[in-house]
Amino acid sequence: MLPHALSFNPSLISPSPSRVPSLSVHPTFPQKNLLFTSFKQCPPLKSSLRVPKCSIGVAEAQPKASEERATRPSSAEVSRTIMELSSRGTLSAITEEGWPLGIGVRFAVDGDGMPILSLKSMNQGGPTFSTNNKSSLHVQLEQDGPCVTQCTLQGILSRPEDKVLRKRLQSIWKKKFETEICEDFLYVMAVERVLHMEDFKEDGIWVTDAEYRNSFPDPLRICAQKIVDEMNNDHMEDVHRFSNIFVDLEFQVVEARMMWVDRLGFDLHIRSSEEEIFAARIPFLREVTDEKAAKSSITYLSQLAWELEKNYTTPEFDKVKCLRKVAR
């Protein structure tokens, strides 16, 4: 048996909108506050744990849709998450003179992910866009590391005429920026499609307006960076062990860092002795919906990786066979 008992506790999981609630594995410890505790001091007891077989790899080619859903959020969900976490982007449109023009803007999003913008310059002698109002909004998620996850929304830019709608959009803006927005400067974009890209040199994936509107931003988006920083700053041994245990490597790992965590797992960047960086995806055994469940799942994987490293248990999963090389 494991040194610590494992239990399924549905009460720790908050239901996600329009999704069937799922269970996460939560280690139950005799002491308090052991989330993210290193397990190298655990007694060498034989484990009878059998982990369901699953592939935890990231291939060079784009994965099939079913595999994508099983291991990572969809492109629509990632785009919604980027828009929720960001507040600045580049708005591009055609001016009345026929020139394409991009300007930096601040934005908020409504419940469907539609951007709300304040375009003061359009009303005070600044650039005047063409009357067709076709435009795009490019947004990059600010993260540490070489990758730049980004999305570009294409749609129709307009000023809302309905007074009730304007009041609601003003309320969203004030909640986001803690400041008022003038009705004369208020614009909204009706999104028609979205291009999602994981990095500058990656192939983009087009998302329809329905896919974008019907998806939800990741439930861990607010605490994700906090979890990543805790792991990289305080538990580097565990992160390094993840790469050695869960990934089938043909090189020596110089450095491993956790880059992001979401409801389905987390991403690692692994640096080789040749100074090349590779990305790997490590999925959770169960979907998580809050910070406590995410930390519990990471703690469980830390325990498992430590036991496998010490040969106290037998691996029952397929290691990562292919890695995605990160362009720099």
Side-chain angles (χ1 to χ4, degrees):
M1 296 296 291
L2 284 173
H4 308 293
L6 295 179
S7 63
F8 292 92
N9 189 350
S11 65
L12 294 178
I13 303 297
S14 300
S16 179
S18 76
R19 295 193 182 97
V20 178
S22 56
L23 300 180
S24 289
V25 181
H26 300 277
T28 303
F29 300 99
Q31 296 131 332
K32 297 180 179 179
N33 301 323
L34 284 184
L35 286 178
F36 288 154
T37 300
S38 175
F39 291 94
K40 59 185 178 181
Q41 301 299 328
C42 295
L45 301 181
K46 183 72 174 180
S47 172
S48 60
L49 177 66
R50 291 295 178 265
V51 181
K53 282 196 173 185
C54 62
S55 176
I56 51 176
V58 176
E60 283 284 353
Q62 287 293 340
K64 296 180 181 179
S66 59
E67 295 172 349
E68 180 81 5
R69 288 193 298 270
T71 61
R72 62 174 67 245
S74 68
S75 294
E77 184 176 345
V78 174
S79 296
R80 286 294 303 271
T81 302
I82 293 173
M83 295 301 292
E84 287 283 347
L85 290 176
S86 305
S87 59
R88 297 178 182 179
T90 301
L91 177 70
S92 300
I94 302 297
T95 65
E96 290 186 344
E97 292 79 17
W99 290 95
L101 179 66
I103 58 173
V105 294
R106 293 196 303 170
F107 68 87
V109 291
D110 67 6
D112 292 326
M114 302 297 112
I116 305 164
L117 305 103
S118 175
L119 300 178
K120 183 176 181 179
S121 61
M122 295 178 65
N123 299 272
Q124 291 188 346
T128 304
F129 293 122
S130 174
T131 54
N132 65 22
N133 293 326
K134 287 185 177 180
S135 59
S136 66
L137 178 63
H138 178 72
V139 181
Q140 297 178 180
L141 182 61
E142 296 183 4
Q143 294 176 273
D144 295 332
C147 286
V148 182
T149 305
Q150 54 196 287
C151 65
T152 301
L153 283 62
Q154 292 184 332
I156 304 300
L157 193 66
S158 63
R159 293 181 59 187
E161 299 297 333
D162 184 78
K163 291 184 178 180
V164 175
L165 176 59
R166 287 202 302 268
K167 292 297 183 182
R168 183 170 64 85
L169 298 179
Q170 286 177 304
S171 176
I172 294 173
W173 184 275
K174 185 175 182 179
K175 183 178 180 180
K176 177 86 171 183
F177 295 107
E178 298 182 349
T179 185
E180 300 285 351
I181 179 174
C182 178
E183 286 191 13
D184 294 337
F185 306 151
L186 180 63
Y187 283 77
V188 65
M189 176 187 287
V191 176
E192 295 190 352
R193 64 175 184 170
V194 179
L195 178 64
H196 166 238
M197 297 179 64
E198 284 295 324
D199 202 1
F200 288 120
K201 297 182 180 181
E202 296 284 335
D203 292 334
I205 299 176
W206 285 102
V207 176
T208 67
D209 60 332
E211 291 172 332
Y212 179 75
R213 289 196 312 270
N214 293 330
S215 64
F216 294 93
D218 188 79
L220 299 185
R221 64 189 182 279
I222 303 301
C223 63
Q225 191 61 55
K226 172 187 173 184
I227 294 175
V228 168
D229 291 341
E230 287 181 15
M231 291 301 298
N232 288 332
N233 295 333
D234 303 329
H235 305 279
M236 283 300 296
E237 289 185 3
D238 289 324
V239 177
H240 196 277
R241 192 177 290 116
F242 290 152
S243 63
N244 284 326
I245 297 299
F246 297 135
V247 185
D248 189 6
L249 299 173
E250 297 181 354
F251 56 82
Q252 183 178 359
V253 177
V254 175
E255 181 185 24
R257 293 184 64 82
M258 183 179 290
M259 303 308 298
W260 193 251
V261 59
D262 54 58
R263 64 185 178 87
L264 297 178
F266 55 87
D267 299 307
L268 296 179
H269 275 188
I270 305 169
R271 184 160 60 92
S272 71
S273 56
E274 301 296 325
E275 295 300 317
E276 294 179 315
I277 298 178
F278 298 87
R281 175 71 176 180
I282 310 297
F284 294 139
L285 270 70
R286 301 288 187 274
E287 178 182 347
V288 300
T289 57
D290 56 32
E291 180 179 359
K292 186 174 183 179
K295 287 185 175 182
S296 181
S297 292
I298 294 174
T299 301
Y300 165 75
L301 292 175
S302 299
Q303 167 86 13
L304 176 62
W306 180 86
E307 290 196 354
L308 291 169
E309 183 181 68
K310 301 299 181 181
N311 295 320
Y312 296 147
T313 189
T314 303
E316 294 288 339
F317 54 84
D318 297 327
K319 287 189 173 185
V320 172
K321 302 294 184 183
C322 299
L323 300 177
R324 177 172 59 85
K325 187 174 180 180
V326 177
R328 291 188 292 173

